[in-house]
Amino acid sequence: MAGTQEPVAVLGIGAMGHGMATSALRAGIPTIVWNREPGATQDLAGLGADVAQTAADAARRAAIVVTMVTDTDAVLSIARDQGMLAALPPGAIWVQMSTIGVAGIERVAALVDAERPDVMLLDAPVSGSKDPAAQGQLTIFASGPDVARSRVTPLFDALGQRTVWVGAVGTGTRLKVVNNTWLAFTSEAIATSVALARRLGLETETVIDALGGGPLVSPWHAAKLQRIVKGDFFPTVRVVARAQGRPPRA
């Protein structure tokens, strides 16, 4: 990675945040981590992460702060109750990557406008789950000020295989809602087809063998089918997004 990378703080070291912090460290990015439950950060310290005691301390020492937590309330709690937003240096970038829905990102944007207009907010949810996060293979739906792009490019290149810039803050979240709708119906189609096959006396392996390699089965489909064969139904994402029809924030 060329150039000097600004220090990045990753707040929220769950399944996704842990993988993202790992990818940032692997790319040589100075990385500060914080989590409500400190135990989640222990192995990251061994990889070279600087473990902050508070979210405010992490934000104070970073030029770019990433939030990756479960829902809007968690994001706002970190920003207000944990003191992250007030602690950000002037000109810092807050990259909100949690999936929080349209109403959620609008609440976050309103908070920044009211309390820290000197901070640049990027709305950049991701497509991908735990393993792609750890492998730096996410797709990032980025939206926000153009002036921030060059500063976050090294980070986004470390976290994802592709970054799609789609406009003003809020547009990235809208694209994520569409993405999740696509995934939801695709997952339902896979599950329904496998259930039908079993009721017809067909094994899942037979379905995979017959359809695998053809135009109907993408690598994503194939991975889901293999999990079904193994009886692995552990959830890799938590559904929290809610679609709303308001236009993106200018």
Side-chain angles (χ1 to χ4, degrees):
M1 183 175 298
T4 301
Q5 171 60 42
E6 298 177 283
V8 172
V10 180
L11 310 185
I13 307 299
M16 295 294 291
H18 188 282
M20 292 163 68
T22 301
S23 293
L25 289 164
R26 186 170 55 243
I29 297 173
T31 304
I32 306 160
V33 296
W34 173 84
N35 194 62
R36 280 191 173 90
E37 298 295 332
T41 65
Q42 289 180 356
D43 64 321
L44 294 173
L47 296 175
D50 185 353
V51 179
Q53 297 302 307
T54 67
D57 178 48
R60 193 174 295 114
R61 294 187 281 135
I64 300 170
V65 171
V66 171
T67 47
M68 176 54 84
V69 290
T70 54
D71 54 29
T72 306
D73 289 342
V75 173
L76 294 175
S77 175
I78 289 173
R80 291 186 304 208
D81 304 337
Q82 303 290 333
M84 179 273 285
L85 185 59
L88 284 171
I93 299 174
W94 175 9
V95 188
Q96 205 312 102
M97 305 188 82
S98 319
T99 298
I100 59 174
V102 175
I105 193 60
E106 289 181 349
R107 290 174 65 189
V108 169
L111 177 66
V112 174
D113 281 347
E115 298 189 9
R116 290 300 306 271
D118 59 329
V119 167
M120 286 184 283
L121 174 65
L122 294 184
D123 165 37
V126 302
S127 176
S129 55
K130 179 179 178 180
D131 289 343
Q135 296 161 6
Q137 293 294 306
L138 297 169
T139 296
I140 301 170
F141 302 137
S143 58
D146 288 345
V147 69
R149 291 193 188 188
S150 61
R151 290 178 59 189
V152 298
T153 292
L155 174 64
F156 285 2
D157 286 349
L159 302 184
Q161 61 180 339
R162 185 181 181 214
T163 298
V164 183
W165 287 94
V166 290
V169 166
T171 315
T173 284
R174 283 168 169 80
L175 185 55
K176 180 61 186 293
V177 170
V178 172
N179 176 84
N180 281 9
T181 301
W182 184 293
L183 289 178
F185 281 104
T186 303
S187 297
E188 183 177 1
I190 293 171
T192 301
S193 298
V194 170
L196 174 62
R198 289 178 176 175
R199 292 192 66 175
L200 294 174
L202 300 171
E203 297 294 334
T204 305
E205 292 88 339
T206 302
V207 175
I208 295 174
D209 183 57
L211 301 181
L216 297 179
V217 180
S218 69
W220 187 87
H221 291 102
K224 297 302 179 186
L225 287 168
Q226 287 298 329
R227 289 186 61 194
I228 292 173
V229 169
K230 296 175 183 177
D232 178 8
F233 300 106
F234 187 81
T236 56
V237 295
R238 180 170 179 258
V239 179
V240 295
R242 290 177 287 274
Q244 296 185 19
R246 291 190 291 275
R249 168 180 176 267

